[in-house]
Amino acid sequence: MINKKVEKALINQIKLEEQSSRIYMSMASWGEVNGFPGAAKFLYTHSDEERMHMTKLITYLNDKGGYAVLQPLEMPQNKFKNLLDVFEQILKHEEFVTESINKLFEIAFNEKDFTTSQFLQWYIEEQIEEESTFKGILDKFRLAGNQTGGLFHLDKELETLAIADAATGA
Ligand code: OFO
């Protein structure tokens, strides 16, 4: 049977992954109606990835004798200043997710639940990768400036990134 404290922390993380999926879905929808089809595609793919992160945690917890009870979610933001605003918010959100994963790891470790600590290694590495992806995208924004041509190319690049992500399941 899984430790109750660890179970509670895992349920909290499941909620955060589900909320992340909604946040990126909302951003994708905004991109789609605001002339950024590539960014929309990238964000839809990313929303799917978060759902996968959530499902992975649910099946792990249930498999270990716990019960992954889903929690109520908040309404995601649906208005953004521009595309840069969207990606700045994503990086901030991912930094928050990283903190949450680290705290979860700490709880599992302190409770001597080394199986869960080991399982969470995947999430720790995933967060390093995600933060680096979003920092890279923000660097490209800096290069593109606010010019329409630059943003058009960036949107195309995001579409290519979405296709690559979907292929690797990253
Ligand atoms: Fe955005 O990553 Fe989940 O954990």
Side-chain angles (χ1 to χ4, degrees):
M1 224 34 186
I2 196 154
N3 172 292
K4 283 289 155 200
K5 223 171 160 182
V6 177
E7 179 179 48
K8 195 169 169 242
L10 281 167
I11 288 174
N12 191 45
Q13 189 63 35
I14 290 164
K15 177 185 175 181
L16 183 54
E17 301 293 343
E18 194 177 9
Q19 185 71 32
S20 304
S21 178
R22 286 200 94 193
I23 290 172
Y24 300 147
M25 184 67 80
S26 178
M27 288 170 165
S29 179
W30 178 89
E32 199 156 51
V33 300
N34 280 281
F36 301 111
K41 195 165 188 175
F42 174 83
L43 291 162
Y44 280 130
T45 306
H46 206 69
S47 170
D48 287 347
E49 278 172 31
E50 298 300 347
R51 195 174 177 282
M52 181 274 279
H53 295 170
M54 170 185 74
T55 313
K56 202 176 160 95
L57 283 163
I58 291 174
T59 52
Y60 173 79
L61 175 55
N62 290 339
D63 192 51
K64 291 284 166 274
Y67 180 25
V69 177
L70 297 193
Q71 304 298 304
L73 300 179
E74 289 116 55
M75 184 174 173
Q77 188 177 331
N78 53 42
K79 285 189 181 72
F80 304 92
K81 273 187 266 164
N82 47 41
L83 196 58
L84 174 63
D85 180 30
V86 168
F87 280 90
E88 279 176 342
Q89 290 203 34
I90 296 178
L91 180 60
K92 231 187 264 161
H93 182 74
E94 286 301 331
E95 284 167 350
F96 176 69
V97 174
T98 300
E99 253 177 62
S100 175
I101 292 282
N102 290 345
K103 264 187 222 147
L104 175 56
F105 177 88
E106 200 183 346
I107 291 168
F109 195 82
N110 288 344
E111 293 300 316
K112 298 195 171 19
D113 180 347
F114 302 120
T115 311
T116 300
S117 308
Q118 177 72 23
F119 167 79
L120 290 172
Q121 284 298 333
W122 184 88
Y123 285 85
I124 292 171
E125 275 159 37
E126 179 70 11
Q127 282 312 116
I128 295 171
E129 228 176 80
E130 291 205 345
E131 281 194 29
S132 136
T133 300
F134 290 113
K135 277 181 191 143
I137 292 172
L138 283 173
D139 283 345
K140 286 188 202 291
F141 266 104
R142 259 163 235 132
L143 285 174
N146 230 355
Q147 295 147 9
T148 319
L151 278 178
F152 178 78
H153 284 297
L154 187 54
D155 191 58
K156 281 266 158 242
E157 265 193 61
L158 286 168
E159 181 166 11
T160 312
L161 209 55
I163 296 165
D165 276 1
T168 58

